[in-house]
Amino acid sequence: MKNGIMRPGHVQIRVLDIDEALEHYCGLLGLIEVDRDDQGRVYLKAWTEVDKYSVILTLADDPGMDFMGFKVTDETSLEKLHRDLLDHGVNVDVIPENELVDCGRRLRFISPSGHTFELYVDKKCTGKWGIEELNPEAWPRGLKGMRVQRFDHCLLYGDELDATLDLFVNVLGFYLTEQVLSDDDSRIAQFLSLSNKAHDIAFIFHPEKGRFHHASFHLETWEDILRAADLISMTNTAIDIGPTRHGLTHGKTIYFFDPSGNRNEVFCGGDYSYPDHPPITWKSDQLGKAIFYHDREVNERFLTVLT
């Protein structure tokens, strides 16, 4: 939390059919619908999250990610980040308070990779869903599907990875936890953290800017991942790969698709990191093992299906 950014706060995902999307994100993943707005957007949260929402679904003609937001500690830090972005040559738009329901003003900018990000301080705190703050139970009754615990990170595809790394490390205060280098030592994948998580955001090189690979949600145990795999089969949900383990981060994982073609991940475990840890490096000739540690090869769909 070097520059005041605490954590991922929300992601807005474009879907082709709201009802189908809600059946997927609420019925299968287990997110909880908390609000709707006059633009038709639907707001969802995972049960452990204290802020009102972390996922916004919006109806569109093509799937993908509109933006990802990060929560900042206070207005002083937000103002400094605003100045630092401008000094870095980044254009910043100020989105007014309550343009997103119960969210304060947001600073919106585009990374060199072509993705849209936001920084904000205020969002209504509603507490964990179904859990009291005084003498809380272990988990709430009435959860559905996979019972995901939180929105955790996004993996994004785009170009200009070096410039994107510079922005995220030297302006926003992230640090590099893991990377994949090509034979000539150019970086083709970078995993960045604000905390002691393995990553809060990740980028993989792609010649086209602004592509969305997946939004990831946290589960507690390997048994939860296996149960998620069962639910994917029970609901005939399109699967990408898994259950398996990553080499990168060493997390246990399964990938699948929402009805609009957006990829989701649920994962558990994985490495921890601190800012003083040197970044872990994989070479591109070991990319298969880095991404899918057990299979040791990458399926074509994982590399090419993007929204």
Side-chain angles (χ1 to χ4, degrees):
M1 203 170 60
K2 177 181 175 183
N3 290 2
I5 304 178
M6 289 189 289
R7 55 176 167 79
H10 56 240
V11 61
Q12 181 163 300
I13 298 173
R14 299 190 302 272
V15 297
L16 307 182
D17 184 293
I18 287 290
D19 290 337
E20 287 183 350
L22 286 172
E23 182 58 35
H24 175 87
Y25 286 96
C26 296
L28 178 60
L29 273 79
L31 296 173
I32 299 111
E33 180 179 341
V34 295
D35 213 336
R36 300 191 181 206
D37 65 21
D38 56 9
Q39 297 184 41
R41 295 179 295 191
V42 183
Y43 297 77
L44 313 174
K45 74 178 293 176
W47 72 268
T48 72
E49 295 169 337
V50 298
D51 284 350
K52 183 172 179 177
Y53 54 85
S54 61
V55 175
I56 308 113
L57 302 179
T58 187
L59 188 64
D61 293 331
D62 60 295
M65 182 190 82
D66 281 336
F67 52 79
M68 181 180 180
F70 294 94
K71 191 169 187 180
V72 178
T73 54
D74 53 61
E75 287 292 333
T76 300
S77 297
L78 188 66
E79 282 300 321
K80 184 178 186 305
L81 285 161
H82 194 174
R83 293 193 300 270
D84 290 347
L85 285 165
L86 294 175
D87 290 345
H88 198 72
V90 178
N91 293 322
V92 179
D93 293 324
V94 179
I95 310 300
E97 181 180 0
N98 288 325
E99 193 278 336
L100 284 177
V101 168
D102 291 326
C103 186
R105 69 187 180 97
R106 294 125 63 205
L107 305 183
R108 180 178 289 176
F109 60 94
I110 298 175
S111 66
S113 62
H115 300 94
T116 300
F117 295 98
E118 299 182 339
L119 305 175
Y120 68 95
V121 173
D122 296 316
K123 186 183 287 178
K124 183 176 182 179
C125 179
T126 55
K128 295 181 180 181
W129 184 85
I131 295 289
E132 299 293 332
E133 292 184 0
L134 178 65
N135 303 323
E137 301 294 352
W139 43 265
R141 301 182 186 186
L143 295 171
K144 296 181 180 180
M146 299 175 187
R147 305 182 295 231
V148 296
Q149 295 184 324
R150 68 171 184 261
F151 163 57
D152 191 82
H153 68 267
C154 287
L155 173 60
L156 307 173
Y157 274 43
D159 65 355
E160 298 196 55
L161 291 197
D162 287 344
T164 299
L165 182 72
D166 180 39
L167 171 65
F168 272 76
V169 170
N170 295 316
V171 179
L172 302 178
F174 289 69
Y175 66 99
L176 181 68
T177 61
E178 207 150 354
Q179 61 186 343
V180 179
L181 301 181
S182 66
D183 291 338
D184 64 0
D185 284 339
S186 60
R187 194 179 302 100
I188 59 176
Q190 53 200 28
F191 292 72
L192 305 166
S193 183
L194 292 160
S195 58
N196 65 346
K197 287 164 50 183
H199 57 303
D200 289 298
I201 185 75
F203 298 89
I204 290 181
F205 177 80
H206 185 73
E208 186 179 357
K209 290 183 181 293
R211 302 306 299 271
F212 178 51
H213 190 271
H214 71 262
S216 184
F217 300 87
H218 185 261
L219 291 173
E220 189 171 7
T221 68
W222 174 238
E223 288 74 19
D224 291 330
I225 299 294
L226 297 178
R227 182 176 176 277
D230 290 342
L231 287 166
I232 288 167
S233 286
M234 289 176 184
T235 54
N236 294 315
T237 298
I239 191 169
D240 188 359
I241 193 167
T244 187
R245 179 195 284 275
H246 288 305
L248 287 154
T249 79
H250 295 131
K252 278 78 76 177
T253 179
I254 187 168
Y255 289 93
F256 52 101
F257 295 95
D258 76 10
S260 300
N262 295 300
R263 186 185 281 101
N264 300 150
E265 177 193 28
V266 290
F267 84 101
C268 71
D271 298 330
Y272 70 91
S273 188
Y274 287 99
D276 64 328
H277 290 193
I280 295 167
T281 298
W282 293 80
K283 296 294 287 187
S284 57
D285 62 358
Q286 293 294 308
L287 184 63
K289 192 174 184 180
I291 295 179
F292 297 125
Y293 187 71
H294 297 154
D295 293 353
R296 289 160 288 168
E297 61 182 31
V298 184
N299 65 44
E300 186 68 15
R301 185 172 54 243
F302 190 84
L303 295 177
T304 60
V305 176
L306 308 169
T307 55

